[in-house]
Amino acid sequence: MDKNTIIGFTLIAAVLIGFSWWNQPSEEEIKAQQEQIEREAAAQQKKDADAARIAARGQEELAQALRDTTALFHKALQGTPQPVVLKNDFLELTLNTKGATVERVYIKSYTDNMKGTQGVVLFNGSEQSLNYILTAKERNISTKDLYFQPSEQTDSTVVLTAEAGAGKYLRISYRLGKDYMLHASLQAVGMEGLFAPQTNTLDIDWQERCKQQEKGFSFENRYATLTYHFTEGGTDYLNETSEKIDENIEEPIDWVAFKNQFFSAVMIARNDFAANAKMTSIPYEKGEGYLKGYHAKMKGFFDPSGKQTTDFEFFYGPNDFRLLQTIEEQSTFGKDLELQRLVYLGWPLFRIINRWFTIYVFDWLSQIFPMGIVLILITLLLKLITFPMVKKSYMSSAKMRVLKPRLEAATAKFDKPEDQMQKQQAMMAEYAKYGVSPLSGCLPMLIQMPIWIAMFNFVPNAIQLRGQSFLWMDDLSTYDPIIEWSHSLPIIGDHLSLTCILFCISNVLYSWMTMRQQRDQMVGQQAEQMKMMQWMMYIMPVMFFFIFNDYSSGLNFYYFISLFFSALIMWALRKTTNDEKLLALLDARYKENQNNPQKLRGLAARLQAMQEQQAKLQQQREEMERRRRK
């Protein structure tokens, strides 16, 4: 280290020492700082002590409030759950004294298809829960936490009471009707001081895991829905295939149903459920034993003074259209409940067909014949009704078939692709001369299609088919396997249904006959195009197989019988039609139209006007195309 460095460090040290000595506080300043520190410490201690006193007082107040509330229900919050059984000839209900709600529903007159035993358990134990929540001043009162004492018990009635204190209690009364209707009323007695003056509702939390009751899980799941009825009329439901959580129902409703394919649990309110109820439906996977998880959160009427009761009615029973129509007579609410809407009959047109034709015929025939015979007879009756239209359709096709050589001769000069419109016009003019309408064959098919769709909606919802056997089919309400395997395969599932195979074979046969008939009447390129279309028609039955393999054997059997008879009718008409006589009849009509042009004017004028309009549009398109190219 050289001399200059030593001098530099010495000067720096001297400056630092001098600066520290110059800035050191005086004794007065040191004393003031110590006093400030002591004051701040004392203030912090006071704050900590105040906070501790406030916390202790809050805990004491909370503890006192809890002691007061607990003291209010000190008897009802302790106890042992006990079953209370109500029963009649159709139903056996088990109520639990803890919560005072139904925990088990046993429907006597139906068979458990999963176990093969008598009686259907709609739900049991934790599979269903119902909680009434009363918003009091201190805290909410949940009926699920309270133990009720039974009294006035008979086979069909019981009164369940939860004591809140001297002269204060909640009372829920039940009365079981003659079949599937349970009447309930809730009343708070001597408890008006516990609630805010503006309180006029209670919260309802209703949940259920909907049990699988039928063999075909996927098919049953299609018809299991959370359904509700608007106060102003009409029903709606949550989507049966997708998950819906807390779906907001904006309008007031008066009943909610947890529905599977053939049975429902329905909760009905005398004073309606308020708008903005929340509904949840969560589908389960196959193999869990349940179809869906249902959850309804609603607000119902409540009178804290106890002067008016909160009234509900519960329907636990089958989705039988005629039975559900009688429920309004058993209800004491005087409402148009429309519970029969739980039996889905299709969109308006199809519902009309099922409501005013199918159900009446089905009811009448089922009193006399087995269900399989009923399906055959309904099919025959529908074929008899539609036969005049089917014959008209066939004869229209037959006329075009026998006229085919003359149509080919009349349109032979229009073979170029650009002449197709003129060819079509020439064909229509030729049809008009013979008094033949190519459109007459379409109307009968359009009329028959709604009947097919109506039966598609009716048969799966007909509980009368449940458990009914016919020929090889053990149960017409579910599939009839000829082969089953343990693991479900993509698209096809875990079985082959015999009625589905028969339906698809009959569909192929009917498609072949239809395509052959249409091909015989078509001219030129139309016949070539038909060859392309026929492959599509043959693919349809294959698609139907994968769709209907899991459907009920009753529905597949109906379609099989319907197509079989349709093919038989078409074959009979073909055999009884004399082409030579038919052509002679058309020739006579042709001459008659020539001698009486006035008679031809109606159809011919319409066809000519149509053709002229098409030609004019075509000319306009060609003119626009020429201008565009210029």
Side-chain angles (χ1 to χ4, degrees):
M1 184 179 293
D2 58 12
K3 179 178 178 181
N4 292 333
T5 302
I6 293 173
I7 294 172
F9 276 117
T10 301
L11 291 175
I12 291 171
V15 170
L16 291 174
I17 293 171
F19 182 79
S20 299
W21 176 82
W22 178 262
N23 285 284
Q24 69 179 356
S26 62
E27 293 182 2
E28 290 79 4
E29 290 175 338
I30 292 173
K31 185 177 180 180
Q33 290 177 358
Q34 290 176 344
E35 291 176 353
Q36 179 65 25
I37 292 171
E38 290 174 357
R39 284 195 300 271
E40 290 177 356
Q44 186 62 43
Q45 289 177 357
K46 185 175 183 302
K47 288 181 181 179
D48 292 342
D50 291 342
R53 284 195 298 272
I54 291 172
R57 186 166 62 250
Q59 291 177 356
E60 178 61 27
E61 290 175 353
L62 178 60
Q64 182 62 40
L66 292 174
R67 284 195 297 271
D68 292 342
T69 306
T70 303
L72 189 65
F73 285 98
H74 70 282
K75 292 183 178 180
L77 288 171
Q78 302 178 24
T80 302
Q82 297 178 359
V84 175
V85 177
L86 304 180
K87 57 185 178 181
N88 57 25
D89 294 337
F90 302 92
L91 204 61
E92 182 178 295
L93 305 178
T94 302
L95 289 80
N96 194 330
T97 55
K98 183 178 183 182
T101 56
V102 178
E103 70 170 3
R104 183 176 185 269
V105 171
Y106 177 74
I107 303 173
K108 298 180 180 181
S109 52
Y110 291 87
T111 302
D112 188 329
N113 282 348
M114 301 298 291
K115 298 179 180 179
T117 57
Q118 184 62 30
V120 171
V121 177
L122 191 59
F123 57 79
N124 187 23
S126 61
E127 292 172 345
Q128 197 263 11
S129 67
L130 175 60
N131 185 28
Y132 303 110
I133 304 168
L134 309 175
T135 305
K137 293 178 181 178
E138 299 294 342
R139 69 166 185 172
N140 293 343
I141 301 169
S142 296
T143 57
K144 69 180 179 64
D145 299 326
L146 303 179
Y147 291 85
F148 290 74
Q149 298 301 316
S151 63
E152 304 178 33
Q153 184 176 356
T154 67
D155 282 347
S156 60
T157 62
V158 68
V159 175
L160 297 167
T161 305
E163 293 188 18
K168 301 179 177 66
Y169 56 87
L170 284 175
R171 177 170 61 197
I172 303 179
S173 303
Y174 289 103
R175 177 176 63 84
L176 180 61
K178 64 180 182 179
D179 45 36
Y180 302 100
M181 181 73 86
L182 177 67
H183 307 267
S185 63
L186 181 149
Q187 185 180 22
V189 178
M191 298 176 60
E192 57 268 25
L194 300 178
F195 304 97
Q198 68 273 16
T199 300
N200 59 7
T201 62
L202 55 76
D203 291 308
I204 301 163
D205 190 285
W206 190 25
Q207 301 183 56
E208 181 184 325
R209 285 182 293 164
C210 182
K211 290 182 65 173
Q212 179 183 350
Q213 302 284 359
E214 314 304 324
K215 182 170 62 175
F217 172 84
S218 300
F219 187 64
E220 183 184 7
N221 216 357
R222 291 185 183 96
Y223 299 92
T225 58
L226 190 157
T227 307
Y228 46 90
H229 182 264
F230 297 109
T231 302
E232 298 299 323
T235 59
D236 202 352
Y237 57 90
L238 299 188
N239 187 285
E240 64 271 22
T241 58
S242 61
E243 181 178 289
K244 298 291 183 181
I245 298 178
D246 285 344
E247 187 86 0
N248 187 57
I249 313 303
E250 297 180 353
E251 301 177 38
I253 56 179
D254 52 19
W255 59 256
V256 178
F258 292 166
K259 173 184 177 293
N260 62 22
Q261 185 177 3
F262 292 122
F263 303 95
S264 291
V266 186
M267 186 177 187
I268 310 165
R270 175 189 292 276
N271 298 101
D272 305 335
F273 300 111
N276 299 314
K278 305 294 183 183
M279 304 293 175
T280 295
S281 176
I282 301 175
Y284 288 134
E285 296 294 330
K286 184 177 181 179
E288 298 183 40
Y290 299 96
L291 303 172
K292 291 181 174 71
Y294 294 139
H295 191 181
K297 293 184 284 187
M298 305 167 288
K299 287 186 178 294
F301 168 80
F302 175 65
D303 179 12
S305 70
K307 296 178 181 178
Q308 299 183 61
T309 58
T310 301
D311 297 326
F312 300 108
E313 291 174 335
F314 297 87
F315 172 83
Y316 302 112
N319 300 327
D320 185 318
F321 188 90
R322 294 302 187 195
L323 170 68
L324 292 169
Q325 283 184 311
T326 68
I327 294 301
E328 288 182 16
E329 300 174 4
Q330 301 178 40
S331 174
T332 61
F333 297 165
K335 291 185 171 185
D336 185 10
L337 296 173
E338 297 184 300
L339 277 175
Q340 66 271 17
R341 289 293 190 94
L342 288 172
V343 181
Y344 184 69
L345 299 179
W347 291 353
L349 173 60
F350 314 126
R351 184 166 64 242
I352 291 171
I353 295 172
N354 284 326
R355 173 68 180 84
W356 300 108
F357 173 78
T358 311
I359 290 178
Y360 280 99
V361 175
F362 189 84
D363 289 345
W364 174 56
L365 293 176
S366 60
Q367 295 175 5
I368 307 172
F369 302 101
M371 288 301 163
I373 300 296
V374 169
L375 291 175
I376 295 175
L377 292 177
I378 288 179
T379 306
L380 288 173
L381 179 60
L382 291 172
K383 293 301 177 185
L384 181 63
I385 293 173
T386 58
F387 178 75
M389 294 175 288
V390 171
K391 184 177 180 180
K392 182 179 180 181
S393 174
Y394 175 81
M395 293 308 296
S396 176
S397 300
K399 291 173 184 177
M400 289 188 286
R401 182 181 70 246
V402 298
L403 288 175
K404 181 178 178 181
R406 300 186 182 183
L407 288 173
E408 289 178 338
T411 60
K413 59 183 178 180
F414 302 113
D415 282 340
K416 296 179 180 180
E418 61 269 21
D419 295 336
Q420 289 306 305
M421 179 170 290
Q422 291 90 333
K423 184 174 185 176
Q424 187 69 23
Q425 291 172 355
M427 288 175 59
M428 297 298 289
E430 200 71 15
Y431 281 137
K433 293 176 183 177
Y434 287 94
V436 175
S437 173
L439 301 178
S440 61
C442 301
L443 182 60
M445 295 303 298
L446 293 176
I447 293 175
Q448 290 186 82
M449 188 57 67
I451 297 174
W452 267 57
I453 300 176
M455 293 300 291
F456 176 84
N457 288 297
F458 174 78
V459 174
N461 288 291
I463 194 172
Q464 292 85 349
L465 297 176
R466 187 179 185 270
Q468 297 296 311
S469 61
F470 183 67
L471 299 177
W472 67 89
M473 295 165 280
D474 295 330
D475 186 349
L476 289 169
S477 69
T478 188
Y479 59 83
D480 56 321
I482 54 171
I483 301 176
E484 291 185 277
W485 48 88
S486 57
H487 298 290
S488 181
L489 300 178
I491 304 177
I492 195 171
D494 57 5
H495 65 275
L496 292 178
S497 172
L498 178 56
T499 52
C500 181
I501 294 173
L502 292 174
F503 160 46
C504 293
I505 292 174
S506 62
N507 201 349
V508 171
L509 174 63
Y510 183 72
S511 298
W512 175 77
M513 295 180 69
T514 303
M515 296 297 293
R516 180 181 176 184
Q517 177 178 310
Q518 293 177 353
R519 186 175 62 247
D520 291 343
Q521 72 191 37
M522 291 187 174
V523 179
Q525 290 188 355
Q526 288 182 336
E528 296 298 324
Q529 293 172 356
M530 182 57 65
K531 292 180 181 179
M532 300 289 294
M533 290 180 61
Q534 68 182 1
W535 293 109
M536 294 296 296
M537 296 297 292
Y538 293 146
I539 290 174
M540 288 298 293
V542 178
M543 297 176 60
F544 282 150
F545 173 76
F546 292 111
I547 295 172
F548 284 85
N549 187 49
D550 201 40
Y551 274 50
S552 69
S553 57
L555 182 63
N556 282 322
F557 182 70
Y558 166 77
Y559 283 152
F560 162 63
I561 294 296
S562 179
L563 285 169
F564 175 79
F565 282 125
S566 294
L568 186 62
I569 291 170
M570 188 178 296
W571 176 83
L573 288 172
R574 182 69 180 90
K575 288 296 183 181
T576 56
T577 301
N578 188 314
D579 288 357
E580 293 180 359
K581 290 183 178 180
L582 182 59
L583 184 57
L585 178 65
L586 292 173
D587 286 335
R589 185 178 297 174
Y590 177 76
K591 293 179 181 178
E592 182 182 353
N593 289 336
Q594 279 185 325
N595 297 329
N596 187 8
Q598 188 69 24
K599 186 175 179 181
L600 184 63
R601 184 173 299 171
L603 176 60
R606 288 194 297 269
L607 291 173
Q608 185 176 0
M610 245 168 49
Q611 294 165 3
E612 289 176 354
Q613 185 177 9
Q614 290 177 350
K616 186 177 180 181
L617 289 173
Q618 181 65 23
Q619 291 174 359
Q620 290 177 351
R621 293 194 194 99
E622 293 175 356
E623 181 64 24
M624 290 177 62
E625 182 65 20
R626 284 195 297 269
R627 290 177 181 178
R628 187 183 66 80
R629 289 177 180 177
K630 289 179 180 180

